[in-house]
């Protein structure tokens, strides 16, 4: 995975757009327009604050189905992805929770998004949705059938889950890359808002042997300069919300603070992205 080619930087910051509940989810509110409006506001705030990419998740659909989501969710996310890609000039990715990787890559391929996140690509994880089995074979074959070059970012020992068996981190990273053919790997803490340790990131980076390693949770402007010493990029959400509360919308000031902290941490002279990251034409 060529981070420079996709994100125009070797150390990308990917901000998360958490979608409000979608049709058929337990907390669906009945207005897709409200979901779209919130998503557009958050993508604009992320782009204005200087992130290098955006990933869209059906985060507030919880409790999740463990595998295939309802067709209405796929339809809604496809529509929203198209709207956001028409709004910002940043690379955009998608994560269809809890683990519907085939829908994610189908959506990404159709709207020409650049990447997807897969919570369980290989192995078996015990989660609050039950046992989730990785389906790397089906996903990689499907990507080939689609003629797609969408990149696959895969979690290793994903948060909110425990592996069946006792694989060590080094083995899990190597198998995700070498046997699951992930284009990049993601390392998180034990839950949303919990960061991985620097030691684990160092182990993961050594095992990845040049494949990009992303911090997947718990990053904030206080710990990110340290964590980025052992990672290539970061996926961030909670600390960018107003007052750091997950249910709140994105705060562009907090985005700017985080971006500045990352840039300091990696000792780069790259300047924050200008407002031109947001298209000003009407949709």
């Amino acid at each position: 995975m060529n981070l420079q080619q996709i994100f125009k930087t070797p150390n990308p910051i990917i901000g998360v757009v958490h979608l409000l509940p979608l049709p058929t989810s337990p907390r669906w509110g009945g207005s897709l327009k409200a979901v779209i409006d919130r998503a557009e506001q958050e993508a604009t705030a992320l782009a204005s604050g200087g992130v290098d990419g955006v990933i869209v998740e059906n985060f507030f659909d919880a409790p999740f189905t463990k595998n295939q989501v309802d067709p209405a969710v796929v339809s809604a996310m496809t529509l929203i992805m198209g709207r956001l890609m028409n709004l910002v000039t940043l690379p955009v990715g998608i994560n269809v929770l809890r683990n519907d990787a085939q829908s994610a890559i189908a959506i990404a391929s159709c709207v020409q998004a650049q990447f997807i996140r897969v919570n369980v690509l290989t192995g078996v994880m015990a989660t609050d949705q039950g046992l989730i089995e990785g389906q790397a074979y089906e996903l990689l074959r499907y990507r080939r059938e689609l003629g797609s070059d969408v990149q696959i970012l895969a979690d290793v020992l994903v948060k909110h889950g425990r592996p069946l068996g006792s694989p060590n981190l080094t083995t899990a990273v190597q198998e995700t890359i070498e046997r699951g053919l992930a284009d990049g790997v993601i390392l998180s803490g034990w839950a949303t808002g919990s960061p991985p340790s620097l030691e684990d990131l160092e182990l993961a980076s050594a095992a990845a042997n040049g494949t990009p390693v992303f911090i997947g949770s718990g990053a904030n402007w206080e710990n990110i300069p340290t964590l980025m010493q052992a990672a290539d990029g970061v996926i961030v959400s909670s600390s960018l919300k107003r007052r750091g509360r997950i249910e709140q919308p994105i705060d562009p000031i907090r985005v700017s603070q985080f971006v500045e902290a990352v840039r300091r941490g990696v000792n780069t002279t790259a300047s924050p992205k200008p407002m031109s990251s947001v298209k000003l034409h009407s949709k």
Side-chain angles (χ1 to χ4, degrees):
M1 184 177 190
N2 189 326
L3 301 181
Q4 183 71 47
Q5 183 179 37
I6 296 172
F7 298 102
K8 314 307 179 188
T9 174
N11 302 111
I13 303 164
I14 302 175
V16 184
V17 172
H18 284 155
L19 299 178
L20 295 177
L22 296 173
T24 72
S25 71
R27 292 179 288 179
W28 161 238
S31 172
L32 190 57
K33 182 180 184 301
V35 179
I36 294 170
D37 288 347
R38 169 75 169 258
E40 290 181 337
Q41 292 167 5
E42 297 212 333
T44 300
L46 289 168
S48 300
V51 302
D52 306 298
V54 173
I55 187 166
V56 179
E57 295 185 346
N58 55 324
F59 182 83
F60 290 110
D61 280 359
F64 305 112
T65 179
K66 66 179 180 179
N67 292 316
Q68 188 172 15
V69 299
D70 190 272
V73 174
V74 177
S75 300
M77 293 189 79
T78 304
L79 173 62
I80 293 166
M81 286 286 289
R83 293 286 288 264
L84 297 188
M85 292 183 68
N86 191 48
L87 181 66
V88 301
T89 58
L90 299 171
V92 179
I94 186 170
N95 183 14
V96 182
L97 298 166
R98 177 66 152 118
N99 204 55
D100 193 348
Q102 288 203 6
S103 290
I105 208 161
I107 295 169
S109 299
C110 288
V111 303
Q112 297 185 318
Q114 286 85 351
F115 61 99
I116 66 170
R117 180 176 183 173
V118 182
N119 285 177
V120 184
L121 181 65
T122 61
V124 183
M125 297 292 290
T127 74
D128 53 309
Q129 293 81 35
L131 296 180
I132 299 180
E133 299 181 30
Q135 296 184 326
Y137 168 75
E138 292 84 355
L139 179 62
L140 271 293
R141 187 185 65 168
Y142 190 44
R143 181 171 69 172
R144 181 177 179 180
E145 289 177 350
L146 290 170
S148 172
D149 61 357
V150 171
Q151 300 290 281
I152 298 170
L153 300 181
D155 284 271
V156 175
L157 304 180
V158 69
K159 59 188 175 183
H160 299 290
R162 295 292 182 269
L164 259 60
S166 302
N168 62 50
L169 180 58
T170 295
T171 300
V173 170
Q174 290 172 340
E175 291 196 344
T176 301
I177 295 169
E178 296 170 9
R179 296 170 68 83
L181 302 185
D183 300 299
V185 295
I186 302 167
L187 194 66
S188 300
W190 65 273
T192 299
S194 172
S197 68
L198 180 60
E199 179 183 13
D200 282 350
L201 282 169
E202 290 172 341
L203 287 171
S205 293
N209 194 29
T211 296
V213 175
F214 285 81
I215 300 159
S217 68
N220 56 51
W221 52 79
E222 294 176 340
N223 64 23
I224 194 61
T226 299
L227 295 178
M228 283 299 290
Q229 295 174 21
D232 299 289
V234 57
I235 300 172
V236 59
S237 177
S238 302
S239 64
L240 307 184
K241 302 292 188 80
R242 291 177 188 169
R243 300 187 295 279
R245 296 175 63 89
I246 195 70
E247 73 277 4
Q248 293 291 316
I250 296 289
D251 182 343
I253 295 176
R254 294 174 74 98
V255 178
S256 297
Q257 291 174 330
F258 183 85
V259 169
E260 183 180 355
V262 173
R263 301 302 181 220
R264 286 199 308 266
V266 297
N267 295 316
T268 179
T269 58
S271 58
K273 293 198 182 306
M275 282 293 291
S276 59
S277 291
V278 182
K279 297 179 184 177
L280 299 180
H281 59 72
S282 60
K283 301 179 292 299

